[in-house]
Amino acid sequence: MDFSETDSVDAVVASFADTPDPRLREVMTSLVTHLHGFLRDARPSLAEWEAAIDFLTAIGQKCDEHRQEFILFSDVLGASMLVETMEASRQAGGASAATGEGLDATSSTVLGPFHVVASPERALGDTISLVDGGEPCLITGRVTAPDGTPVPGAQLDVWQADEKGFYDVQVPDAQPLGNGRGLFTADDDGRYHFRSIVPAHYPIPTDGPVGQLLTATRRHPYRPAHVHFIVQAEGYVPVTTHVFVAGSPYLDSDAVFAVKQALVRDFAPVDDADTAARLGLPNPFRRAEFDVVLQPVA
Ligand code: BEZ
Ligand code: FE
């Protein structure tokens, strides 16, 4: 039978009939069904389809050890947040993270493309800010289970942009690798604290094909100010999340759709010379409290 518009899905799906892995067969069937549906709906010309392939090629060519343009593409389409949201629901056994009993598990959000170098191990109380500039801050919190039981020894991997909105890997001449990053271990009571600077809101990288897409669609590239966290402990579901800075621009129009209101915290000014001296901070400083609730593995 000739390939036709009406039979195209059946023809291609049938070609995957002998796929030994049932999940791969299921995913390829769904992909072909939706891709052909999209093409029948959008009806691209051959020239437009070639432009689309050139665009995807340019995305791949932009990727290197420190640049992940495919993650960025997934992020600006909301695909990263959709997968992240479905994963959180799956990990919670199909229920939402809010169980109605005890504390709600901390919401997840996007990983983003800048978790590309290992965070240096640091001791509680260390600073992750290795360069001058920025408004000093203290970030503290406690990692617990939903019933409030502390999670001793939980590992917190944190990374953030500087006060100009750049990650270390974006400006290797201005920041040493590891600036704005730290791997911390919570104490016996599940508590952690570290020093940093208040991060700034920033544009996602716009010097590649994803930037061109944002320009062509009149979308802004900004993300509200935030600090990234991956928190994990044995026996618990790891969470990839952020703490957002209350009052930051773009909290209501994040370019990658990743804001959850439950993750927004005040970075409140503190005037306390004794605490500042004890922790190695100038006075006054800013302080944010971010407790993390991990879901036990089912
Ligand atoms: C980030 O927060 O690092 C990020 C997330 C998505 C796209 C670009 C940057
Ligand atoms: Fe970020």
Side-chain angles (χ1 to χ4, degrees):
M1 199 170 46
D2 286 349
F3 194 93
S4 73
E5 198 176 315
T6 41
D7 296 331
S8 70
V9 171
D10 291 346
V12 181
V13 165
S15 76
F16 291 115
D18 294 337
T19 307
D21 179 342
R23 177 64 178 151
L24 179 60
R25 188 167 64 245
E26 180 187 6
V27 169
M28 292 311 298
T29 299
S30 176
L31 174 65
V32 167
T33 305
H34 289 281
L35 176 63
H36 288 216
F38 159 70
L39 292 171
R40 280 195 307 274
D41 183 45
R43 306 203 79 79
S45 66
L46 200 51
E48 285 173 335
W49 189 238
E50 281 169 11
I53 287 176
D54 286 348
F55 176 73
L56 293 177
T57 305
I59 287 182
Q61 287 169 340
K62 193 74 187 167
C63 294
D64 64 24
E65 195 191 348
H66 290 148
R67 177 74 182 252
Q68 234 306 352
E69 194 78 357
F70 265 114
I71 295 184
L72 207 54
F73 186 40
S74 160
D75 293 339
V76 301
L77 293 182
S80 303
M81 263 318 270
L82 178 57
V83 174
E84 188 65 52
T85 302
M86 292 188 299
E87 178 67 15
S89 158
R90 198 174 64 85
Q91 299 269 10
S96 93
T99 59
E101 286 167 32
L103 303 164
D104 293 345
T106 298
S107 299
S108 58
T109 189
V110 291
L111 175 67
F114 293 120
H115 192 249
V116 279
V117 291
S119 299
E121 274 187 47
R122 302 194 194 280
L124 291 177
D126 278 357
T127 184
I128 62 171
S129 177
L130 311 179
V131 292
D132 290 339
E135 217 180 329
C137 74
L138 175 68
I139 300 182
T140 65
R142 193 175 189 209
V143 185
T144 69
D147 66 1
T149 310
V151 181
Q155 198 183 62
L156 301 107
D157 187 348
V158 303
W159 68 105
Q160 69 166 77
D162 68 4
E163 92 282 11
K164 296 195 189 87
F166 291 109
Y167 287 85
D168 54 355
V169 290
Q170 293 179 287
V171 285
D173 295 339
Q175 296 183 36
L177 267 193
N179 184 51
R181 299 179 193 269
L183 188 62
F184 294 95
T185 304
D187 69 14
D188 290 347
D189 202 23
R191 293 185 193 277
Y192 73 90
H193 69 288
F194 63 92
R195 289 170 292 148
S196 186
I197 55 158
V198 181
H201 61 278
Y202 63 83
I204 64 172
T206 53
D207 59 339
V210 171
Q212 288 166 6
L213 177 66
L214 294 183
T215 303
T217 54
R218 303 289 184 276
R219 278 178 55 179
H220 78 70
Y222 289 97
R223 297 217 60 211
H226 58 273
V227 180
H228 294 258
F229 282 71
I230 296 175
V231 184
Q232 48 195 331
E234 211 179 314
Y236 292 87
V237 178
V239 67
T240 299
T241 191
H242 304 357
V243 59
F244 290 95
V245 180
S248 171
Y250 306 106
L251 275 173
D252 57 2
S253 66
D254 185 357
V256 301
F257 312 99
V259 176
K260 291 185 172 167
Q261 291 307 318
L263 301 175
V264 180
R265 293 288 181 282
D266 276 334
F267 280 58
V270 177
D271 184 356
D272 178 347
D274 290 347
T275 302
R278 184 166 52 79
L279 296 174
L281 283 158
N283 193 48
F285 58 96
R286 306 258 303 264
R287 176 175 179 178
E289 247 188 287
F290 183 52
D291 291 340
V292 177
V293 180
L294 295 180
Q295 200 70 43
V297 172

